[in-house]
Amino acid sequence: MDEFALIRHYFRGLTPVREDVALGIGDDCALLCPPPGEELAVTTDTLVAGRHFPEQATGYDIGWKALAVNLSDLAAMGATPRWFQLALTLPQADEGWLAAFAQGLGDLARLYGVGLTGGDTTRGPLSVTLTAMGSVPAAAALRRSGAQEGDLVCVTGTLGDAALALHTLQAGEQVDEALLARLHRPQPRVAAGIALRRLAHAAIDLSDGLAGDLLHILEASGVGADVSVDALPASPAVAARQEGRLSLQLAGGDDYELCVCLPPQNLAEARRKLDLPLTPVGRITARPRLRYVDAGGRELLLNFAAYRHFG
Ligand code: ADP
Ligand code: MG
């Protein structure tokens, strides 16, 4: 199968037809029609074999996750997802792998109604780069730079599940299905991001772990935070780990939950609007420093380095 047959067979027609696509796959460019008065939100993420997914990950999981991590970035801005482009580098045209990959990608794309509008297909070591595009009403996007002193730092869902699954896999032990899904099939918090547009001052999605990702908000906003480590929401599996819990929850990465900063008076409304838990884990301070405290208010000296590709 040459690349044109491959594109036709696996990718053309994979995702729903959208009215805001004037021209999709097949020409030199796609022609897209963003809604008037909205800003275009654009994000790119690459998954590289051995670095972003373990060798055991299936084509289905890789297809799902490649789109999920990009939709998670759109969610963190409060954007409505619309389209995505796919740049695929493959060692060979393995039809079983491609069918599974397209299915994982297509299943998640259909859940959010996003359209695959083009891409590039090349030969080389396995790597998947996706550019996702969405839109948000002018000036309504959630940025990293809006956190204010007194805001609550809140996170959606639970933290540390994906890291526990990876850790358990790497130890050669059996991993529970639900936990494994948290690693391989993250659910981007798209509806939560949109619901929080008018309620939150700042947001980021948690890809590298709260310790590192919250620092990005603090730096961009010129503020600090006190984070209460006993408040971090944990699934039963993560809560059962006395040792290593904090490292999984603060530095494990791959959570794809949202971390938002909002004024305390908006918490109740935010919780009503979300269909998943929103847990306050700390507070924004004027002093530009990230401190960890325990339930008794005592400071804990923790030093979690976020994953860095060129560290
Ligand atoms: P060009 O040489 O003009 O860049 P290509 O031959 O690379 O065009 O691609 C042909 C068409 O197929 C284009 O519309 C492109 O966007 C689309 N395409 C290529 N690879 C993919 C892919 N992996 N998924 C979806 N569309 C793709
Ligand atoms: Mg091209």
Side-chain angles (χ1 to χ4, degrees), residues 87-129:
L88 194 54
T89 303
L90 299 168
Q92 71 267 324
D94 176 334
E95 297 191 16
W97 188 90
L98 271 162
F101 174 82
Q103 202 176 348
L105 190 68
D107 281 353
L108 185 59
R110 279 184 293 276
L111 263 183
Y112 290 96
V114 291
L116 173 57
T117 52
D120 202 16
T121 305
T122 53
R123 183 171 215 150
L126 180 60
S127 152
V128 183
T129 297

Side-chain angles (χ1 to χ4, degrees), residues 4 7 11 25-28 86 88 116 118-121:
F4 301 105
I7 294 162
F11 298 119
I25 295 174
D27 211 314
D28 293 306
L86 169 66
L88 194 54
L116 173 57
D120 202 16
T121 305

Side-chain angles (χ1 to χ4, degrees), residues 15 21 23-26 29-30 32 82-85 115-119 133:
T15 60
V21 178
L23 188 63
I25 295 174
C29 291
L32 310 174
R82 293 178 179 275
W83 316 288
F84 66 101
Q85 300 274 123
L116 173 57
T117 52
M133 292 163 278

Side-chain angles (χ1 to χ4, degrees), residues 204-259:
I204 191 168
D205 71 316
L206 298 176
S207 52
D208 296 336
L210 182 67
D213 291 327
L214 179 56
L215 274 180
H216 295 311
I217 287 189
L218 303 184
E219 273 166 28
S221 302
V223 294
D226 286 352
V227 167
S228 174
V229 297
D230 295 306
L232 298 172
S235 66
V238 169
R241 301 252 151 174
Q242 278 104 350
E243 265 186 48
R245 177 182 70 88
L246 285 187
S247 144
L248 291 171
Q249 293 204 281
L250 290 170
D254 265 359
D255 293 305
Y256 297 105
E257 296 293 349
L258 296 183
C259 170

